[in-house]
Amino acid sequence: MWMNRKTGSVFLKTLNHVLNVLKFSTNVRTQPPRKPGPSRPPWSLLFFGTDQFAVESLKVLTSCRNPSKGIVEKLEVVSLPGDLPVRRFAQQNQLTLHNWPPHDLEGQFDVGVVVSFGRLIHGGLIDKFPFGILNVHPSLLPRWRGPAPVFHTIMHGDTVTGVTIIQIRPNKFDVGPILNQELHKVQKNCTAEELGAALATKGAHLLIDTLMKLPEKIANKREQGMMGVTFAPKINTSMSWIHWEEQTCNQIACLCRAIGCRIPLRTIWMGKTIKLLDFVGKCHTTDQRNQKPGSVYYDKVSNTLAVCCKIKAAENLKETPQAVREASAALCSLGCASSLADMEGWQALRAGSKGPC
């Protein structure tokens, strides 16, 4: 069949239009609309977590699968590789376990929950959850954003902290809008481990309270302000150094309660690095010899080694027979004994140090 130029041009334009319509229709069909979620619980929920802090929230969610409670209808778990507490809990309780990153989630879940997961989550994954992804964070955001808020709460001597439930933002940590928040008083002489356990329990129950009223909480969410923002980087060995001339007794006590059980505190003695085995706390002494920060003496009455700190506060290190034996061998091998002023001072030093790192 022959066509003139004008007719052929019209035919080609029509054909191109039809092909474009078909192409658009095909694209629409291959990207089905997101399945609308329910407007109230019970929820289909995907949990992201790794450590013991996260397990507390997962335990409570697991118990809420009971139909009588009507909060969680479906619960599955995403965790990282390795022998992690969340992975072990999921296996022990027959929860479906996904590796990171998860796949094929379209239309499967209403809401996600992230607790101590440590991975940035991109927008494409968040968009698969009609109610977004929630995060349980152990601080009063925006204070102590970051991976180690509990340690920094203790290290800086905070007397009040809390837990916060936020919606996460794509590829960002701890900056999303706040849905729920609860205060917690930090007990005197509380360690990071004790505080972490208390906040894990409180955070788990605050999460359930949030899920019970999720549409209302989202409708009334509030953005975090920039005032009061602080950051809580991971703890490391560089934080374990004691500088007697720069740190007060209280600051050293906070440092010990924050990281002492994970990273031994360290200082310099006679030009060598030593680890401090045990910490008793502040003491008051009538000893009037050298009261310069960093000076050391042995207190016979309390059987402790005392080190003078900034503003003439004194720190104590508890004596133990094992500490005496270990420190004695290490320091004698360095030839330090002969340089000490008297044998009483030498005995005092042996009581509280474990020689070189």
Side-chain angles (χ1 to χ4, degrees), residues 177-255:
I178 295 172
L179 304 189
N180 213 345
Q181 200 166 53
E182 185 173 342
L183 272 64
H184 178 84
K185 182 179 179 181
V186 180
Q187 298 299 314
K188 186 178 180 181
N189 297 324
C190 180
T191 65
E193 284 64 33
E194 293 166 343
L195 179 60
L199 294 182
T201 301
K202 182 161 286 190
H205 292 288
L206 191 65
L207 172 63
I208 297 303
D209 177 73
T210 304
L211 290 170
M212 289 175 65
K213 312 164 191 173
L214 187 55
E216 176 188 343
K217 293 292 185 184
I218 292 175
N220 294 298
K221 64 187 178 185
R222 58 185 175 87
E223 296 296 329
Q224 296 184 39
M226 290 306 297
M227 185 175 295
V229 172
T230 57
F231 297 95
K234 288 182 180 180
I235 61 171
N236 58 68
T237 55
S238 68
M239 298 176 180
S240 68
W241 285 101
I242 292 180
H243 303 283
W244 307 103
E245 299 84 0
E246 301 172 9
Q247 293 163 293
T248 66
C249 182
N250 288 334
Q251 288 171 334
I252 295 172
C254 289
L255 181 64

Side-chain angles (χ1 to χ4, degrees), residues 56-206:
E56 293 305 309
S57 288
L58 185 55
K59 281 181 183 177
V60 175
L61 290 170
T62 302
S63 69
C64 288
R65 289 188 301 170
N66 188 324
S68 64
K69 296 189 177 180
I71 300 173
V72 179
E73 179 179 51
K74 173 184 175 181
L75 177 62
E76 297 184 10
V77 176
V78 177
S79 193
L80 303 178
D83 184 25
L84 299 173
V86 163
R87 183 174 284 273
R88 288 198 302 271
F89 183 89
Q91 293 168 340
Q92 292 165 2
N93 290 272
Q94 291 79 52
L95 297 174
T96 300
L97 189 59
H98 301 259
N99 291 321
W100 173 259
H103 301 285
D104 304 321
L105 301 182
E106 194 71 52
Q108 299 296 311
F109 300 96
D110 306 314
V111 62
V113 172
V114 168
V115 186
S116 192
F117 190 58
R119 293 290 186 274
L120 290 171
I121 298 180
H122 60 81
L125 180 55
I126 297 172
D127 289 343
K128 296 185 185 299
F129 300 87
F131 289 89
I133 299 180
L134 312 184
N135 173 227
V136 181
H137 187 82
S139 80
L140 294 177
L141 289 172
R143 184 162 177 79
W144 300 132
R145 291 175 177 174
V150 175
F151 295 103
H152 286 269
T153 295
I154 298 295
M155 194 183 305
H156 289 80
D158 291 5
T159 57
V160 177
T161 184
V163 286
T164 307
I165 310 294
I166 63 171
Q167 274 187 319
I168 66 170
R169 289 268 169 83
N171 300 311
K172 293 182 182 295
F173 286 124
D174 307 329
V175 299
I178 295 172
L179 304 189
N180 213 345
Q181 200 166 53
E182 185 173 342
L183 272 64
H184 178 84
K185 182 179 179 181
V186 180
Q187 298 299 314
K188 186 178 180 181
N189 297 324
C190 180
T191 65
E193 284 64 33
E194 293 166 343
L195 179 60
L199 294 182
T201 301
K202 182 161 286 190
H205 292 288
L206 191 65

